[in-house]
Amino acid sequence: MSSFSMAVKPVIERPSHPIEEDAVDLTETIDISGPSKEPRTVDKDSSYELHPLPQYFEDRARRPSAVRVDSDATITFKDAMTEPPTPAADDMDKNLYTTTAFPHAQGTGTITNIHVRAHAVSAETAKKQKRYSMIHFAAICWCFFLEGWNDGTTGPMLPTMQEYYHINFAIVSLLFVFNCVGFVLAAGLNVWLNEKFGFGKTVVIGSLFQVAAYALESPAPPFPVMVLAYFLAGFGMSLQNAQGNGFVGSLKEHQTTKLNMLHASYGVGAFVAPLVATQFSGAQHWSYHFIISTGIAVSNTVILSLVFRFRRQEDILVDAGQEPAEGESTAEGGRNLYRAIFGIKSVHFLAFFALVYIGTEVTLGGTWDLLWTPPMLINRIGWIVTFIINEREGGRSAGYISSGFFGGLTVGRLALIWFSRKVGEHRVVFLYCVLAIALELTVWFVPSIIENAVAVSLIGMLLGPMFPILVGHASRILPAWLLTGSVGWITGIGMSGSAALPFITGVLASKFGIRSLQPLLVSMMCTMVGVWALVPRAPRRVD
């Protein structure tokens, strides 16, 4: 039993207040573990002495902060502040004893175990969320692969379609016109559909339109039905394109990298599809190629349904560990979304940039030149191919230049991710445009097929990252709750450029010759520089 006592000398005498018999003697023994059983005695003749304070305390406060112990059982200040011992374990439930709020009373083993278990649960949850995020992204990449597959299919199939349906260039152009109309129409409806049904349902609706389109094309139906199928395909692709870009653009981690990978998957589809379609174009049952397209579209619908389960974007992102930011909820839907989107100047600047960008991309590597070239060249895939054949005396192998363009497009979206981030995504667009203009000038003035082919591939590599940068930049300067609708509208206007600018190219080529292609391309790239300069460069999201 530990005890302590204090002995002090009286420095103040109080004769008028005699010590009573029941007064407390400061020399008595006090048992801190329980009530004392010894009778307390009082020595009236005892004296009291105050021990001098240590010099440290005299200098600071001149008041005692510690107790001097005279007993044999020395108790330090640290010991005096220790919690009293906990009652015996057999007097209470052992489980409660081991979870007491005083960890120093029984050691740190229990608390350590709790922290270890909590850390393990947290690590397991983070791993699960990361897996969900990867699955979500892979599903959208497959969706964009199908979109690239669709765009890369038409070129090799056009000569066969013309021969099968006995139609001229003007009639076959209806395929592209109605495809573009479907794309633009869906871009306008996407705002309402996204607000009404949410991400999960809207993206599946778009995939069903593509399934219906390819199913109609598979048996080589009458040409009006084929035109309707292209309209449905454009409508479905537009919904998926807007929803996919809006979803990835809303991510808070690795957004730029994933946007580049997403659009690179489109480039892979556009690169692979012509290789497969060319094999069917010379076959008797050429339309069976669309059976493959139908199979891919069905798999796309199944994957989107299983992965996203028809839920809204906010709920899907929560599963991936991303809490919705303020303003991302659909509570904002009480406003007029169309008025809100069209009231933002940045949306119009970005839409016009997309129009010129996609128009330039399709003019170089698209399929609209097939409407204006002689029949022997009708299966080539880019206006640049027509230029190489007519102005550089290239042969039929010049068609591979278009594949080089799409290959450079895909490589640029992957290889230039680090460089774009290092330079700054807003600033690097100016650099890419200037370099692309310089390379286009070499194609214009250097009469070398090899140099022109290399330059076209490098131009594709420089143009590749621009659209992912556009979507990523839109996510930082536009309100979060308007992002998906805005991206859909921007993409829809951009797709109209894929029809308008190549058409203008064809009109100029028919009047002034194919030499007019190069000055037109240079002027469009210069326009991209001017429009991008008008886009706000604020890196923060405006909510």
Side-chain angles (χ1 to χ4, degrees):
M1 178 185 303
S2 300
S3 62
F4 66 90
S5 62
M6 294 185 295
V8 296
K9 290 183 179 182
V11 295
I12 301 176
E13 296 186 359
R14 302 182 177 88
S16 60
H17 299 281
I19 301 177
E20 298 178 358
E21 300 223 350
D22 57 350
V24 178
D25 185 3
L26 296 179
T27 63
E28 71 177 326
T29 300
I30 301 176
D31 186 0
I32 63 174
S33 63
S36 176
K37 298 181 181 179
E38 298 291 336
R40 292 179 295 180
T41 60
V42 177
D43 187 1
K44 296 183 179 180
D45 296 332
S46 62
S47 61
Y48 298 88
E49 178 182 2
L50 292 175
H51 290 277
L53 294 172
Q55 185 66 28
Y56 172 76
F57 293 108
E58 289 184 351
D59 294 339
R60 288 191 59 190
R62 294 190 176 276
R63 61 182 181 182
S65 303
V67 180
R68 180 180 177 101
V69 181
D70 288 339
S71 63
D72 295 336
T74 302
I75 300 179
T76 65
F77 180 74
K78 179 178 180 181
D79 296 329
M81 295 301 295
T82 306
E83 294 288 340
T86 308
D90 44 55
D91 294 337
M92 59 191 305
D93 184 40
K94 292 184 179 180
N95 293 331
L96 294 177
Y97 177 74
T98 58
T99 57
T100 178
F102 303 98
H104 54 272
Q106 80 272 323
T108 60
T110 303
I111 300 300
T112 302
N113 292 337
I114 293 175
H115 286 315
V116 170
R117 288 196 300 270
H119 179 73
V121 172
S122 178
E124 182 179 354
T125 301
K127 185 177 180 180
K128 184 178 180 180
Q129 291 173 344
K130 183 178 181 180
R131 183 170 65 251
Y132 281 154
S133 179
M134 294 176 63
I135 293 174
H136 297 161
F137 180 67
I140 299 177
C141 284
W142 182 245
C143 178
F144 272 62
F145 173 86
L146 176 58
E147 185 176 342
W149 174 278
N150 177 89
D151 291 347
T153 293
T154 306
M157 287 294 179
L158 278 180
T160 305
M161 289 183 184
Q162 280 190 302
E163 181 180 355
Y164 182 82
Y165 292 111
H166 304 287
I167 54 179
N168 57 24
F169 297 143
I171 299 300
V172 77
S173 67
L174 294 175
L175 295 175
F176 302 98
V177 172
F178 276 83
N179 183 263
C180 182
V181 169
F183 205 104
V184 176
L185 178 62
L189 290 177
N190 171 72
V191 178
W192 179 81
L193 290 172
N194 182 70
E195 179 66 20
K196 181 71 174 180
F197 301 109
F199 170 83
K201 294 180 181 178
T202 303
V203 74
V204 171
I205 291 173
S207 68
L208 291 175
F209 272 92
Q210 276 193 284
V211 172
Y214 299 140
L216 289 174
E217 295 170 352
S218 298
F223 187 72
V225 178
M226 185 68 74
V227 172
L228 174 63
Y230 267 75
F231 170 83
L232 297 177
F235 190 94
M237 286 191 304
S238 179
L239 292 179
Q240 295 174 90
N241 189 289
Q243 295 293 324
N245 278 300
F247 183 90
V248 179
S250 300
L251 299 179
K252 297 180 179 178
E253 294 184 358
H254 311 295
Q255 179 198 84
T256 302
T257 300
K258 290 185 176 181
L259 280 171
N260 280 276
M261 294 177 65
L262 179 67
H263 289 274
S265 63
Y266 168 89
V268 172
F271 180 81
V272 173
L275 304 178
V276 179
T278 301
Q279 303 301 317
F280 284 90
S281 62
Q284 179 180 0
H285 300 287
W286 58 271
S287 63
Y288 285 4
H289 169 79
F290 295 105
I291 296 178
I292 300 177
S293 301
T294 304
I296 299 176
V298 170
S299 68
N300 178 53
T301 302
V302 172
I303 290 173
L304 293 176
S305 301
L306 294 178
V307 171
F308 300 113
R309 292 178 290 173
F310 311 104
R311 296 181 298 166
R312 289 190 172 271
Q313 179 173 302
E314 296 81 8
D315 301 328
I316 298 171
L317 291 177
V318 168
D319 286 348
Q322 177 175 319
E323 294 296 331
E326 295 182 3
E328 288 186 13
S329 65
T330 56
E332 301 277 0
R335 306 185 191 179
N336 188 318
L337 296 179
Y338 290 96
R339 181 181 302 174
I341 291 174
F342 296 149
I344 302 176
K345 292 183 179 180
S346 299
V347 172
H348 303 300
F349 292 142
L350 292 172
F352 189 68
F353 180 88
L355 184 150
V356 180
Y357 167 79
I358 297 178
T360 303
E361 176 186 313
V362 174
T363 299
L364 277 169
T367 58
W368 276 82
D369 63 293
L370 305 177
L371 310 181
W372 301 97
T373 52
M376 63 175 295
L377 305 177
I378 201 168
N379 60 339
R380 297 308 172 196
I381 306 181
W383 269 115
I384 193 64
V385 176
T386 304
F387 175 84
I388 295 297
I389 292 174
N390 293 347
E391 297 296 323
R392 302 291 184 254
E393 298 181 355
R396 296 178 65 87
S397 60
Y400 290 109
I401 294 178
S402 181
S403 297
F405 174 81
F406 281 113
L409 200 77
T410 303
V411 171
R413 287 172 174 173
L414 297 176
L416 295 178
I417 295 175
W418 176 85
F419 181 78
S420 299
R421 186 183 297 114
K422 190 73 173 179
V423 176
E425 294 179 357
H426 189 272
R427 188 183 302 110
V428 81
V429 171
F430 296 105
L431 178 61
Y432 290 155
C433 287
V434 171
L435 294 177
I437 291 171
L439 289 170
E440 195 62 45
L441 289 174
T442 66
V443 177
W444 186 356
F445 294 107
V446 178
S448 171
I449 296 178
I450 296 177
E451 191 281 336
N452 293 169
V454 174
V456 168
S457 298
L458 293 176
I459 291 172
M461 186 175 67
L462 293 170
L463 294 180
M466 290 189 186
F467 195 80
I469 289 176
L470 182 148
V471 177
H473 193 71
S475 69
R476 288 186 288 273
I477 66 174
L478 298 179
W481 62 284
L482 294 176
L483 180 61
T484 300
S486 299
V487 169
W489 179 252
I490 292 169
T491 307
I493 297 300
M495 282 301 297
S496 67
S498 69
L501 294 182
F503 179 81
I504 294 173
T505 304
V507 172
L508 294 175
S510 64
K511 185 175 182 178
F512 302 103
I514 194 61
R515 293 183 180 181
S516 62
L517 172 65
Q518 299 307 323
L520 178 63
L521 289 174
V522 172
S523 64
M524 287 193 291
M525 292 179 184
C526 292
T527 303
M528 290 167 56
V529 175
V531 175
W532 188 253
L534 299 176
V535 176
R537 57 181 305 165
R540 61 186 179 87
R541 189 191 297 274
V542 182
D543 289 323

